[in-house]
């Protein structure tokens, strides 16, 4: 699936229903690394995973971003998909974004 966030075409996946779980991948990776986790959780949770700009099928940003920019991106993504108070799991760069957002 794709969604527009601030003019960028962003790729994401969403499976299941229930309490939201948001998965954020590591640097130069994609949500594909979470395939097994998505399959395990989707029967009980609404699992959403996004590809950061410039990764996999997501359009690259036009200028370099800092950590604040990535956090704002995730918050805008959550707002567009009506994701409220999710369980957030981040690996590597996604973990860094998760910690900053917390």
């Amino acid at each position: 699936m794709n969604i527009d966030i601030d003019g960028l075409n962003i790729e994401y996946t969403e499976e299941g229903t229930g309490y939201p779980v948001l998965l954020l991948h590591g640097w130069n990776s994609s949500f594909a690394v979470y395939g097994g986790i998505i399959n395990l959780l989707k029967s009980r949770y609404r699992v959403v995973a996004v590809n950061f700009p410039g990764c996999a099928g997501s359009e690259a940003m036009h200028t370099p971003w800092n950590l604040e920019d990535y956090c704002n991106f995730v918050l805008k993504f959550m707002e567009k998909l009506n994701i409220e108070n999710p369980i957030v799991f981040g690996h590597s760069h996604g973990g860094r974004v998760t910690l900053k957002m917390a």
Side-chain angles (χ1 to χ4, degrees):
M1 293 181 267
N2 290 72
I3 191 169
D4 180 277
I5 306 289
D6 289 341
L8 297 176
N9 184 26
I10 300 299
E11 183 180 38
Y12 73 100
T13 188
E14 180 174 351
E15 296 194 42
T17 59
Y19 197 85
V21 174
L22 178 61
L23 305 174
L24 303 176
H25 65 78
W27 193 252
N28 198 29
S29 185
S30 75
F31 61 66
V33 301
Y34 289 124
I37 292 172
I38 292 169
N39 284 332
L40 286 172
L41 296 178
K42 69 183 181 182
S43 66
R44 296 182 10 200
Y45 298 95
R46 175 188 178 198
V47 184
V48 182
V50 61
N51 283 329
F52 284 119
C55 296
S58 288
E59 182 180 356
M61 58 282 212
H62 304 292
T63 59
W65 280 12
N66 61 29
L67 184 56
E68 285 288 326
D69 295 319
Y70 283 99
C71 292
N72 289 331
F73 163 81
V74 172
L75 293 172
K76 289 175 184 179
F77 175 78
M78 288 171 46
E79 184 177 331
K80 280 218 169 182
L81 288 178
N82 197 30
I83 300 171
E84 296 182 14
N85 198 28
I87 297 168
V88 182
F89 179 85
H91 166 71
S92 184
H93 174 65
R96 187 172 166 234
V97 171
T98 301
L99 288 172
K100 177 69 173 174
M101 287 176 30

